[in-house]
Amino acid sequence: MAEKIVIALGGNALQSGKADPTAEQQLEVVKATCEHIAEISGMGYEVGIVHGNGPQVGRILLASETAKDVTPAMPFDVCGAMSQGYIGYHIQQGLKQALKDRGRNVPVATIVTQVVVDKNDPGFQNPTKPIGPFYTEEEAMALKEEKGYAVKEDAGRGWRRVVASPIPQRIVEIDAVRTLWPTTITISVGGGGIPVIENEKGELEGVAAVIDKDFAAELLAENVGADCLMILTEVDKVAINFNTPEQKDLDKLTVAEAEKYIEEGHFAPGSMLPKIQAAIKFIKANPGKKAIITSLDKATSALAGNDGTVIVAW
């Protein structure tokens, strides 16, 4: 039976920092990314893809709010759904062609995915995730008063809206993902999923939040019984003492070692830390399986055991 792998794509797999942030440039980057995913599929793995959406959803929100005098601005959860659609469309285009070039006729489908979060999640009491454009303090306070936005000053660059980053609890469309999985490369929980809460009537309501895509990928991996969770980022290996003369790249990490390094503060919040935490959670739930953190370019080599950092139970 083919091994199942969930691949979480970082921002550099969707967009180059050296090019203009246009849809055309994103498609070119995605096409290159899809060459690597097609190689993994060709190795015999059943593949599911999760992607981030940070820059894209911010631009969608900015465009919507800039045009508010012409057409009503879209709420944040709707902007997240839009980002899932257009990023998924680009991955479908790029991956279908990369597979075709290899003589493989494998369906590729995007599932617009809702993810339930706890309305009492502590993250809602302390929003920290910046989204959208920069404002002056006066503009930010006006938005706070007019729309009830949470706003914070961002590293001396100006004021921004901030939203919660709650922990994902349940993938609403998971049955659809499971049904498609054996025959189709699925793209789901894009951007961590569209965050929704369950109201008193049991109905789903979208909320202004951003779910960490690595935690969402971990939840997906658990739900589909994946053999491997692969988190792709900008570095080839996890390191301790990162970006110092004492930097040490790690080939392998046990859960105990990873937790020790977290306590020692080796992994930056909002960067490597959630990736390590997601990997730990997956391994604790599936002790005989593995998680891999590496770069896009080293993905196939890491699966062969020749690169990246593998996280295991012991």
Side-chain angles (χ1 to χ4, degrees):
M1 183 179 294
E3 288 193 15
K4 299 177 181 179
I5 182 170
V6 169
I7 301 174
L9 298 176
N12 62 321
L14 301 176
Q15 199 166 87
S16 169
K18 302 175 183 177
D20 292 334
T22 63
E24 293 79 9
Q25 286 295 328
Q26 176 176 288
L27 180 57
E28 290 307 306
V29 173
V30 168
K31 284 179 178 178
T33 294
C34 288
E35 295 293 328
H36 296 279
I37 299 173
E39 286 293 322
I40 292 172
S41 175
M43 291 166 69
Y45 289 94
E46 292 181 0
V47 177
I49 300 168
V50 176
H51 61 77
N53 72 344
Q56 294 85 357
V57 75
R59 285 197 298 275
I60 292 170
L61 183 68
L62 176 59
S64 181
E65 292 192 343
T66 301
K68 66 181 183 299
D69 295 332
V70 179
T71 184
M74 294 292 104
F76 189 71
D77 57 312
V78 174
C79 293
M82 289 173 154
S83 75
Q84 281 192 3
Y86 101 81
I87 295 171
Y89 155 63
H90 278 173
I91 295 174
Q92 285 174 202
Q93 276 205 337
L95 186 52
K96 192 65 180 173
Q97 186 60 52
L99 291 164
K100 182 179 178 182
D101 291 344
R102 290 163 174 77
R104 305 192 69 235
N105 183 26
V106 181
V108 183
T110 299
I111 302 169
V112 176
T113 320
Q114 303 170 91
V115 174
V116 176
V117 298
D118 184 350
K119 62 183 177 182
N120 297 314
D121 189 293
F124 287 110
Q125 307 307 316
N126 182 32
T128 57
K129 183 72 173 178
I131 59 168
F134 289 92
Y135 301 103
T136 65
E137 184 175 1
E138 183 181 2
E139 290 170 332
M141 292 305 124
L143 283 171
K144 182 178 180 180
E145 181 68 26
E146 177 187 346
K147 298 189 176 182
Y149 288 174
V151 294
K152 286 187 179 180
E153 200 276 330
D154 187 355
R157 298 179 295 174
W159 289 72
R160 297 179 77 186
R161 180 185 178 187
V162 290
V163 297
S165 186
I167 299 297
Q169 303 289 325
R170 177 169 64 86
I171 300 169
V172 176
E173 288 79 16
I174 190 61
D175 287 343
V177 176
R178 288 185 181 125
T179 298
L180 288 171
W181 189 282
T183 61
T184 303
I185 295 177
T186 58
I187 305 156
S188 65
V189 291
I194 304 163
V196 295
I197 60 171
E198 289 182 303
N199 64 21
E200 291 75 10
K201 298 179 181 178
E203 301 166 334
L204 298 177
E205 294 180 0
V207 291
V210 174
I211 299 169
D212 187 283
K213 69 105 173 44
D214 298 316
F215 288 127
E218 189 283 327
L219 181 60
L220 176 66
E222 282 195 48
N223 283 185
V224 299
D227 299 284
C228 178
L229 170 64
M230 172 173 273
I231 300 175
L232 300 181
T233 185
E234 294 185 0
V235 295
D236 295 344
K237 295 182 180 182
V238 175
I240 54 174
N241 301 310
F242 181 70
N243 216 18
T244 73
E246 290 75 38
Q247 177 172 325
K248 179 183 178 183
D249 293 342
L250 305 172
D251 297 326
K252 181 180 177 181
L253 263 177
T254 66
V255 167
E257 289 169 337
E259 291 178 331
K260 174 175 173 286
Y261 290 142
I262 288 174
E263 288 181 12
E264 293 173 354
H266 283 284
F267 308 126
S271 179
M272 186 56 74
L273 180 59
K275 295 170 176 53
I276 296 291
Q277 289 172 326
I280 289 172
K281 188 172 185 297
F282 178 68
I283 298 305
K284 281 188 171 181
N286 304 274
K289 298 182 179 180
K290 64 183 177 182
I292 295 172
I293 300 175
T294 191
S295 65
L296 178 67
D297 290 343
K298 302 294 185 182
T300 53
S301 177
L303 280 171
N306 299 321
D307 225 308
T309 301
V310 61
I311 296 91
V312 292
W314 47 78

